[in-house]
Amino acid sequence: AAGGSGEGPGLTGRDLCFLLWSAARVDGWANEAFAKSAAEEVCRRGASTLSVQDLNTLSQSLSSLGPFFHKALRVVTNEAARRGLSSSFTARDQAAILTALAKARLRGSALHAELRALAAASGAALAGARATLRVAVRALAQSWPGFVSEPSDAQLLFDAVAATRPWVQAPHQELVHLAAGLGTLGVVLDAESSASLERELEGVAPSTFSSEELSQLVGGILSLGLAHSCLRSAAGTLLARARGGEGDKAEGGEGAVDVRAVGDGFAKALRRSPQEASMALLSVLAAEHGPVAPAAPQDSREAAWLPGVSPAARSASGSGGGCGGSCCKCCSCCCCICGNCGCCGNCGCCCCCNCCNCCSDCCQCSS
């Protein structure tokens, strides 16, 4: 097939799906003539006769094959939008097609048409529109976090979110991913929408989620500018786990969690550097739970991310030199994590008293 045209009177739509599926999974086949001919045949025939399963498979394959195949991807996803994602596709199929659009980063595509349709949904169609938008937000946050860089794209997404409020009656697992995704995308919520989302988040039980999910949730809440009351249970659970008070139950683990992974997830959700994100998280934890007493870490990697760690562990983690006693000269805690003090010009180093009077041996701070 590698040297053939990819066309023929006996070639069905399903055959084209299999050809392109194979090309997407075998190294080098994307450059073969048969793959390009198959994509051109999809454009020539159109996608109106393809099943939902075939649309799903083709969208995933074409989005992985490179820019040459994006014309065929538009044909496939435009057909999916014409049928109506929220009315004709299962949640799994919606996720596949929306993820394909986000992965290929197709502007002016079926994604725009779908967002307009979601924003106009009402009545009985609203529940389906909310579910579809939750899928879209997660797909965009994971594959195209810069989607809102274009004002027109941002407005489409903001309008759809404001009109449908996709968090209403959302399963808690989806609600956590939605809040994190909205934060990652930089969605701007009006006061009424913020209050509505805050009410939904009050019912979330943090013990049922992994620490990485909780860290992304906290980052999303901060990015969206929601009330800090939404942070109390999530931040408290993260703090307890990080200090070894409880295992990561959602992950089936025991003891303290891998806090570096938590910090990385938090940084991604908050769209800041890991150091800035860890400082923000410390400030939230301290504000909501009070000063944190030093405690021995379960793993030296914790030292760069959360309070309650020894100076020796902090030094081992690479976030500053070890000090013989407390880091903060004001409140005598040892929670400073601002290694080499990139933050001192803008905010306090100490997560307990918010001063910037850390000892030079600990974080090499000139302030």
Side-chain angles (χ1 to χ4, degrees):
S5 66
E7 300 182 30
L11 202 62
T12 66
R14 180 61 57 86
D15 293 331
L16 293 174
C17 288
F18 285 143
L19 284 172
L20 291 165
W21 181 87
S22 300
R25 283 155 181 79
V26 179
D27 288 343
W29 280 20
N31 297 319
E32 295 288 350
F34 83 89
K36 294 182 178 180
S37 294
E40 291 170 347
E41 183 68 5
V42 170
C43 295
R44 187 183 71 80
R45 295 186 184 186
S48 60
T49 62
L50 295 176
S51 67
V52 169
Q53 182 181 355
D54 289 342
L55 292 175
N56 182 333
T57 301
L58 274 174
S59 65
Q60 293 180 75
S61 300
L62 292 166
S63 67
S64 303
L65 287 169
F68 177 86
F69 298 86
H70 286 178
K71 182 178 180 181
L73 178 59
R74 287 185 186 275
V75 171
V76 171
T77 53
N78 285 343
E79 174 60 22
R82 186 189 68 79
R83 298 185 193 183
L85 285 179
S86 58
S87 59
S88 304
F89 292 77
T90 65
R92 183 176 180 179
D93 291 331
Q94 290 175 30
I97 292 173
L98 289 168
T99 299
L101 283 167
K103 185 177 180 180
R105 303 190 175 192
L106 293 183
R107 295 196 182 279
S109 66
L111 180 58
H112 289 185
E114 187 62 25
L115 289 175
R116 293 189 185 94
L118 293 175
S122 61
L126 190 55
R130 286 170 174 162
T132 300
L133 189 54
R134 290 195 292 270
V135 173
V137 166
R138 188 171 186 184
L140 288 169
Q142 291 177 342
S143 301
W144 198 1
F147 176 73
V148 296
S149 61
E150 289 290 332
S152 59
D153 293 348
Q155 195 60 53
L156 282 173
L157 181 60
F158 296 175
D159 288 347
V161 169
T164 63
R165 297 189 179 179
W167 49 82
V168 173
Q169 297 181 336
H172 284 179
Q173 189 77 29
E174 294 182 25
L175 179 60
V176 167
H177 291 301
L178 174 65
L182 291 173
T184 298
L185 290 168
V187 171
V188 178
L189 299 178
D190 58 43
E192 291 185 4
S193 294
S194 295
S196 174
L197 178 53
E198 289 165 0
R199 287 193 294 271
E200 295 291 334
L201 288 171
E202 288 175 358
V204 171
S207 61
T208 62
F209 295 97
S210 71
S211 294
E212 183 176 1
E213 288 172 324
L214 289 178
S215 67
Q216 292 175 4
L217 173 61
V218 171
I221 290 172
L222 287 174
S223 182
L224 291 169
L226 301 182
H228 274 203
S229 59
C230 296
L231 299 171
R232 289 195 181 100
S233 57
T237 300
L238 277 176
L239 180 58
R241 289 177 181 175
R243 297 181 63 198
E246 85 178 80
D248 201 343
K249 301 190 186 308
E251 295 171 351
E254 296 181 358
V257 299
D258 182 346
V259 182
R260 175 57 63 88
V262 171
D264 289 342
F266 182 72
K268 180 179 179 181
L270 196 52
R271 295 178 294 129
R272 297 183 185 176
S273 70
Q275 190 176 28
E276 291 174 327
S278 61
M279 286 300 301
L281 178 54
L282 284 171
S283 297
V284 170
L285 293 177
E288 299 298 335
H289 299 280
V292 181
Q298 299 291 321
D299 188 306
S300 62
R301 288 175 295 179
E302 294 180 17
W305 295 105
L306 290 174
V309 301
S310 68
R314 182 175 292 106
S315 179
S317 73
S319 65
C323 61
S326 64
C327 296
C328 180
K329 294 179 181 178
C330 294
C331 68
S332 298
C333 78
C334 198
C335 68
C336 173
I337 53 118
C338 65
N340 296 325
C341 236
C343 68
C344 285
N346 300 315
C347 64
C349 294
C350 181
C351 66
C352 295
C353 70
N354 204 37
C355 79
C356 197
N357 194 14
C358 304
C359 70
S360 58
D361 290 336
C362 172
C363 70
Q364 300 173 13
C365 173
S366 60
S367 300

